[in-house]
Short mmCIF file of all heavy atoms in Angstrom, two decimals:
data_model
loop_
_atom_site.label_atom_id
_atom_site.label_comp_id
_atom_site.label_asym_id
_atom_site.label_seq_id
_atom_site.Cartn_x
_atom_site.Cartn_y
_atom_site.Cartn_z
N GLY A 4 -15.73 7.54 -23.26
CA GLY A 4 -16.24 8.30 -22.12
C GLY A 4 -16.55 7.45 -20.91
O GLY A 4 -16.55 7.94 -19.79
N LYS A 30 -5.93 -16.27 -0.96
CA LYS A 30 -6.25 -15.79 -2.31
C LYS A 30 -7.63 -15.16 -2.34
O LYS A 30 -7.84 -14.13 -2.99
CB LYS A 30 -6.16 -16.96 -3.28
CG LYS A 30 -6.07 -16.62 -4.73
CD LYS A 30 -4.73 -16.05 -5.11
CE LYS A 30 -4.61 -15.80 -6.59
NZ LYS A 30 -4.37 -16.99 -7.37
N ALA A 53 -13.40 17.32 -15.84
CA ALA A 53 -12.42 17.61 -16.88
C ALA A 53 -11.91 19.04 -16.73
O ALA A 53 -12.70 19.98 -16.59
CB ALA A 53 -13.04 17.42 -18.25
N SER A 68 -11.99 19.42 -8.73
CA SER A 68 -12.70 18.15 -8.78
C SER A 68 -13.55 18.01 -7.53
O SER A 68 -13.37 18.73 -6.54
CB SER A 68 -11.72 16.99 -8.88
OG SER A 68 -11.15 16.96 -10.15
N LEU A 77 -11.17 7.96 1.23
CA LEU A 77 -10.04 8.09 2.15
C LEU A 77 -10.27 7.27 3.41
O LEU A 77 -9.42 6.49 3.85
CB LEU A 77 -9.87 9.58 2.47
CG LEU A 77 -8.94 10.02 3.56
CD1 LEU A 77 -7.58 9.50 3.28
CD2 LEU A 77 -8.93 11.52 3.59
N THR A 78 -11.48 7.42 4.01
CA THR A 78 -11.75 6.64 5.21
C THR A 78 -11.96 5.17 4.87
O THR A 78 -11.55 4.30 5.62
CB THR A 78 -12.98 7.19 5.93
OG1 THR A 78 -14.03 7.32 4.97
CG2 THR A 78 -12.70 8.52 6.54
N ARG A 96 -6.21 -18.34 12.53
CA ARG A 96 -6.85 -19.27 13.47
C ARG A 96 -7.31 -20.55 12.76
O ARG A 96 -7.21 -21.65 13.31
CB ARG A 96 -8.05 -18.60 14.16
CG ARG A 96 -7.65 -17.50 15.09
CD ARG A 96 -6.72 -18.00 16.17
NE ARG A 96 -7.33 -18.95 17.07
CZ ARG A 96 -7.85 -18.64 18.23
NH1 ARG A 96 -7.82 -17.39 18.67
NH2 ARG A 96 -8.39 -19.55 18.99
N GLU A 99 -4.43 -22.77 12.30
CA GLU A 99 -4.04 -23.45 13.53
C GLU A 99 -4.96 -24.61 13.85
O GLU A 99 -4.53 -25.66 14.32
CB GLU A 99 -4.04 -22.46 14.70
CG GLU A 99 -2.86 -21.52 14.67
CD GLU A 99 -2.98 -20.43 15.70
OE1 GLU A 99 -3.95 -20.45 16.47
OE2 GLU A 99 -2.11 -19.56 15.73
N GLU A 108 -10.05 -28.90 1.67
CA GLU A 108 -9.52 -29.74 2.75
C GLU A 108 -10.26 -29.46 4.05
O GLU A 108 -10.53 -30.37 4.84
CB GLU A 108 -8.03 -29.50 2.91
CG GLU A 108 -7.24 -30.02 1.72
CD GLU A 108 -5.78 -29.63 1.81
OE1 GLU A 108 -5.32 -29.25 2.89
OE2 GLU A 108 -5.10 -29.72 0.77
N LEU B 20 -1.64 -16.42 -11.17
CA LEU B 20 -0.47 -17.00 -10.51
C LEU B 20 -0.88 -17.85 -9.31
O LEU B 20 -1.86 -17.56 -8.63
CB LEU B 20 0.48 -15.89 -10.06
CG LEU B 20 1.30 -15.26 -11.17
CD1 LEU B 20 2.17 -14.16 -10.60
CD2 LEU B 20 2.16 -16.29 -11.85
N THR B 52 -3.18 8.04 1.16
CA THR B 52 -3.59 6.92 2.00
C THR B 52 -3.31 5.60 1.30
O THR B 52 -2.77 4.67 1.92
CB THR B 52 -5.09 7.01 2.30
OG1 THR B 52 -5.42 8.37 2.48
CG2 THR B 52 -5.44 6.23 3.51
N ARG B 77 -2.79 -24.63 -3.67
CA ARG B 77 -3.10 -25.85 -4.41
C ARG B 77 -4.07 -25.53 -5.53
O ARG B 77 -4.89 -24.64 -5.43
CB ARG B 77 -3.72 -26.87 -3.46
CG ARG B 77 -2.78 -27.17 -2.33
CD ARG B 77 -2.77 -28.62 -1.96
NE ARG B 77 -1.68 -28.81 -1.01
CZ ARG B 77 -1.77 -28.47 0.28
NH1 ARG B 77 -2.88 -27.94 0.74
NH2 ARG B 77 -0.76 -28.66 1.09
N PHE B 107 -17.25 10.32 -18.40
CA PHE B 107 -16.14 10.64 -17.51
C PHE B 107 -15.74 12.12 -17.65
O PHE B 107 -15.55 12.61 -18.77
CB PHE B 107 -14.96 9.74 -17.87
CG PHE B 107 -13.68 10.11 -17.21
CD1 PHE B 107 -13.52 9.91 -15.86
CD2 PHE B 107 -12.65 10.66 -17.94
CE1 PHE B 107 -12.34 10.25 -15.24
CE2 PHE B 107 -11.46 11.00 -17.32
CZ PHE B 107 -11.32 10.80 -15.97
N GLY B 108 -15.66 12.82 -16.52
CA GLY B 108 -15.17 14.19 -16.54
C GLY B 108 -16.20 15.25 -16.89
O GLY B 108 -15.87 16.43 -16.88
N LEU B 165 -8.70 -12.32 18.66
CA LEU B 165 -8.45 -13.57 17.95
C LEU B 165 -7.01 -14.03 18.08
O LEU B 165 -6.74 -15.23 18.07
CB LEU B 165 -8.77 -13.40 16.47
CG LEU B 165 -10.24 -13.43 16.08
CD1 LEU B 165 -10.42 -12.99 14.66
CD2 LEU B 165 -10.75 -14.84 16.24
N ARG B 321 1.98 -13.70 17.69
CA ARG B 321 1.42 -15.02 17.41
C ARG B 321 2.46 -15.88 16.69
O ARG B 321 2.63 -17.07 16.97
CB ARG B 321 0.19 -14.84 16.53
CG ARG B 321 -0.64 -16.07 16.39
CD ARG B 321 -1.51 -16.22 17.59
NE ARG B 321 -2.36 -17.39 17.51
CZ ARG B 321 -3.26 -17.68 18.44
NH1 ARG B 321 -3.38 -16.91 19.48
NH2 ARG B 321 -4.00 -18.73 18.32
N HIS B 325 4.26 -19.30 17.81
CA HIS B 325 4.24 -20.45 16.92
C HIS B 325 5.61 -21.06 16.76
O HIS B 325 5.77 -22.26 16.84
CB HIS B 325 3.79 -19.98 15.53
CG HIS B 325 2.46 -20.46 15.19
ND1 HIS B 325 2.25 -21.56 14.43
CD2 HIS B 325 1.25 -20.00 15.55
CE1 HIS B 325 0.97 -21.75 14.31
NE2 HIS B 325 0.34 -20.81 14.97
#
Side-chain angles (χ1 to χ4, degrees):
Chain A
K30 196 72 176 283
S68 288
L77 170 56
T78 49
R96 292 302 295 264
E99 285 172 3
E108 291 173 16
Chain B
L20 285 179
T52 322
R77 301 220 172 77
F107 170 70
L165 282 169
R321 192 81 179 183
H325 250 263

